[in-house]
Amino acid sequence: MTTTAASPVLRTDYQRSIADYWNKEQDPVNIKLGEVDGIYHHHYGLGAYDESVLSGPEETRDARVIAELHRLESAQADVLLDHLGPIRPEDRLLDGGSGRGGTSLMANRRFGCRVDGVTISQKQVDFANAQAARWGVADKVRFHFRNMLDTGFEAGDFSAVWTNETTMYVDLFELFGEFSRLLRHGGRYVCITGCYNDVTGGRSKAVSQIDERYTCSVHARSQYFKALTANNLVPIEVVDLTPQTIPYWELREQSSVATGVEKSFLTAYREGSFHYLMIVADRVR
């Protein structure tokens, strides 16, 4: 595995606070869903939910809802992977902000290729590497305590890079500059993210509540396209996933793992101040 010397992983007080947050995080919405099949995610879901999970025996209702929420979040990861393009077993992929590693494991299972995940949470790195070992793929899927703004990997080493709900923690121009450096010519970047709607003005009250809950700073929709273009990453597809993610939040609001932030997401999506986008871009130079 080729790397170069990287700068200190945690470079600012803000990054240290984010690392501390995720090192301490034990949210049941992330843990219980992953326990369904051993694939742990840190993102939301897509698609209509099976309404039958809300009926039936009360003593098994919670387990049914948890399993359905996990099915929806894994479906979201599948949508992302569908857009990485033709990936060969000899290719190498990067998961930027890899969390507990679920999407990386799914990528290896689908493509049979090498996958590297980076996160500034050492606890997440340790957990994800243990999961890779558990699944018998530690020789192909590896997680690193590194900053996705400065990974230390060699230029042009990756066929594709993705971020799944992690870009709201970093400067987009700096991030996409690093991804452009890492991607080979013609390499693919896929981003799924929430972003606020420039048309409605600044952050709405509901979006500000989301920022406060996750200690992040949601970017304006337009900033993604400005930063991509500035770094030779040309969008080839943009999909508004908002209608497809609302059912996930509606079901989660009725679950035992609800955190209280569900109302803010549903309000922001329904009022149009917040969008759930997938952006697919290719490195052109």
Side-chain angles (χ1 to χ4, degrees):
M1 185 162 44
T2 307
T3 62
T4 59
S7 303
V9 174
L10 303 177
R11 303 187 302 186
T12 67
D13 288 341
Y14 175 67
Q15 290 175 1
R16 283 184 280 274
S17 71
I18 297 304
D20 184 63
Y21 174 89
W22 287 110
N23 283 332
K24 293 177 179 176
E25 181 268 338
Q26 287 291 333
D27 199 326
V29 76
N30 295 320
I31 303 299
K32 283 191 174 183
L33 273 63
E35 290 174 348
V36 171
D37 62 1
I39 298 293
Y40 291 79
H41 296 296
H42 278 277
H43 60 253
Y44 310 129
L46 289 178
Y49 65 85
D50 181 354
E51 296 183 6
S52 71
V53 301
L54 296 172
S55 58
E58 185 62 29
E59 61 269 21
T60 58
R61 178 185 185 274
D62 187 54
R64 293 193 304 273
V65 172
I66 294 295
E68 184 66 356
L69 286 170
H70 182 60
R71 183 185 69 82
L72 296 177
E73 64 176 2
S74 289
Q76 188 260 33
D78 274 325
V79 168
L80 187 154
L81 297 176
D82 287 344
H83 289 80
L84 290 180
I87 302 298
R88 304 161 300 174
E90 59 267 30
D91 287 332
R92 187 180 182 190
L93 311 180
L94 178 70
D95 183 351
S98 48
R100 287 186 169 92
T103 307
S104 293
L105 292 169
M106 289 176 65
N108 169 262
R109 181 184 297 173
R110 181 187 293 206
F111 304 117
C113 63
R114 291 187 298 164
V115 184
D116 290 280
V118 295
T119 171
I120 61 173
S121 166
Q122 184 65 60
K123 185 175 180 180
Q124 289 181 343
V125 169
D126 295 341
F127 184 95
N129 278 323
Q131 288 303 107
R134 175 191 169 192
W135 287 101
V137 295
D139 60 328
K140 288 286 192 75
V141 183
R142 300 178 183 178
F143 299 93
H144 313 267
F145 178 58
R146 298 191 184 191
N147 194 318
M148 63 180 176
L149 297 176
D150 183 15
T151 64
F153 293 121
E154 289 289 342
D157 266 8
F158 293 89
S159 298
V161 176
W162 74 81
T163 50
N164 202 350
E165 299 177 15
T166 62
T167 51
M168 62 286 299
Y169 288 105
V170 296
D171 178 87
L172 293 179
F173 288 84
E174 192 173 358
L175 179 69
F176 295 159
E178 174 68 351
F179 289 170
S180 182
R181 185 187 71 82
L182 294 172
L183 283 167
R184 61 170 174 76
H185 177 74
R188 173 70 50 86
Y189 170 58
V190 180
C191 169
I192 292 184
T193 189
C195 53
Y196 75 80
N197 184 0
D198 305 69
V199 174
T200 60
R203 292 175 179 81
S204 67
K205 179 179 179 180
V207 171
S208 295
Q209 290 168 343
I210 293 168
D211 277 348
E212 182 177 0
R213 170 64 177 78
Y214 293 107
T215 321
C216 65
S217 183
V218 170
H219 298 292
R221 181 179 59 187
S222 63
Q223 284 298 104
Y224 282 88
F225 301 99
K226 292 175 182 176
L228 288 167
T229 302
N231 288 287
N232 300 320
L233 295 168
V234 177
I236 61 167
E237 188 174 2
V238 180
V239 182
D240 182 3
L241 299 172
T242 306
Q244 297 180 56
T245 199
I246 287 175
Y248 164 87
W249 289 101
E250 292 174 335
L251 180 61
R252 183 169 140 175
E253 192 175 37
Q254 303 174 73
S255 74
S256 65
V257 294
T259 64
V261 78
E262 292 79 12
K263 182 178 179 181
S264 297
F265 274 91
L266 286 168
T267 297
Y269 285 140
R270 289 167 177 163
E271 72 187 6
S273 66
F274 194 50
H275 292 149
Y276 197 51
L277 290 189
M278 178 173 64
I279 305 170
V280 184
D282 288 340
R283 183 181 182 277
V284 296
R285 289 195 300 275

